[in-house]
Amino acid sequence: MKSIVLFPNYFKKIGWVLIVAALGIWLCSEILDLDLSFLTLKVPAIYSADYPLTSDPKGGWFVYTTQDMAYTLFSVFFIVGGLLVMFAREQVEDEFIHSVRHSALIWAVSINYLLLLLAFLGLYGPVFIDVVIYNVYSILIIYILRFNYLLRISKKRALVYEE
Amino acid sequence: MKNNIKVQRAIKGITQQVLAEQVGVSRQSIVAIEQGKYVPSTLLALKIAGYFVKGVEEIFELEEGD
């Protein structure tokens, strides 16, 4: 039977390490407010906006720009880590697990848009920018939570069910 | 859809784990199928029936409303 293409099982561990690293960067920069100026680097950009607040006012297409890379690193680590966790094979990856994946994905997309809809209807002003930022990660987070919850339930069911 | 996999296992004297290994799925999948929480694909149904040397319809049966 044709099965969906997934990463090897050990990619899940790599994914979790990346997620923890991302959370570490977020903790250091947002909560502990540590000096992360060493992460301000000159990097190539496809497009860099030319607006007064940037440390490098010369924007444009295909330019080098000096930017604080903390948020970029957080996002890259979190998204790559999340995708690895999401699409790494289980120890035994069979059609039942595929059905759990399918159900978790539908759940993640539905809940994501329900939350977004509520945010559109109930949140106004600059706070909405936060919603857009959280929305980048929400499908990954909801999928991982739902998938693992469903797996845990089925494992628990298998434990208590008589042979 | 209901099934009598549990009965077939008892006749053959095998555990869910053995059946799972023979048809290439996890034990939790067999539990989910036996409990009616998951309807297997035609392929898996054929494999299970083949393992018990039975026809698919001797093991799986449509319920009212299916």
Side-chain angles (χ1 to χ4, degrees), chain A residues 12-60:
Chain A
K12 192 185 267 193
K13 278 187 190 144
I14 301 173
W16 280 116
V17 169
L18 287 174
I19 289 176
V20 169
L23 293 177
I25 293 170
W26 174 75
L27 194 73
C28 291
S29 92
E30 298 294 319
I31 306 293
L32 302 174
D33 212 13
L34 296 180
D35 177 25
L36 297 179
S37 55
F38 65 92
L39 287 176
T40 300
L41 303 167
K42 197 171 184 182
V43 289
I46 295 172
Y47 181 78
S48 179
D50 180 11
Y51 62 98
L53 290 177
T54 179
S55 51
D56 183 6
K58 280 178 189 155

Side-chain angles (χ1 to χ4, degrees), chain A residues 1 92-97 99 151 154-155 157-163, chain B residues 6 9 15-16 25-29 32 34-35 37-38 40-41 43-44:
Chain A
M1 188 174 75
V92 179
E93 180 79 31
D94 59 17
E95 61 175 56
F96 172 67
I97 302 291
S99 81
L151 268 196
S154 75
K155 278 179 184 161
R157 202 166 52 209
L159 274 180
V160 298
Y161 188 65
E162 55 178 320
E163 276 277 354
Chain B
K6 199 173 178 180
R9 279 197 303 106
T15 61
Q16 290 160 340
V25 296
S26 64
R27 182 175 162 250
Q28 69 207 69
S29 304
E34 283 191 7
Q35 289 187 328
K37 306 266 185 206
Y38 175 67
S41 67
L43 185 87
L44 182 53

Side-chain angles (χ1 to χ4, degrees), chain B residues 4-58:
Chain B
N4 59 15
I5 294 175
K6 199 173 178 180
V7 177
Q8 299 296 337
R9 279 197 303 106
I11 294 169
K12 212 166 164 115
I14 56 153
T15 61
Q16 290 160 340
Q17 186 62 45
V18 171
L19 176 61
E21 283 164 13
Q22 291 298 318
V23 296
V25 296
S26 64
R27 182 175 162 250
Q28 69 207 69
S29 304
I30 299 294
V31 170
I33 295 168
E34 283 191 7
Q35 289 187 328
K37 306 266 185 206
Y38 175 67
V39 176
S41 67
T42 316
L43 185 87
L44 182 53
L46 282 165
K47 278 188 188 174
I48 292 171
Y51 176 73
F52 290 119
V53 201
K54 299 263 181 195
V56 174
E57 284 176 295
E58 291 175 83

Side-chain angles (χ1 to χ4, degrees), chain A residues 4 13 18 25 52 77-78 82 89 95 101 118-119 130 136 145 162:
Chain A
I4 49 176
K13 278 187 190 144
L18 287 174
I25 293 170
F77 283 179
F78 198 95
R89 294 173 65 87
E95 61 175 56
R101 285 189 187 283
L118 288 175
D130 290 332
V136 172
L145 291 177
E162 55 178 320

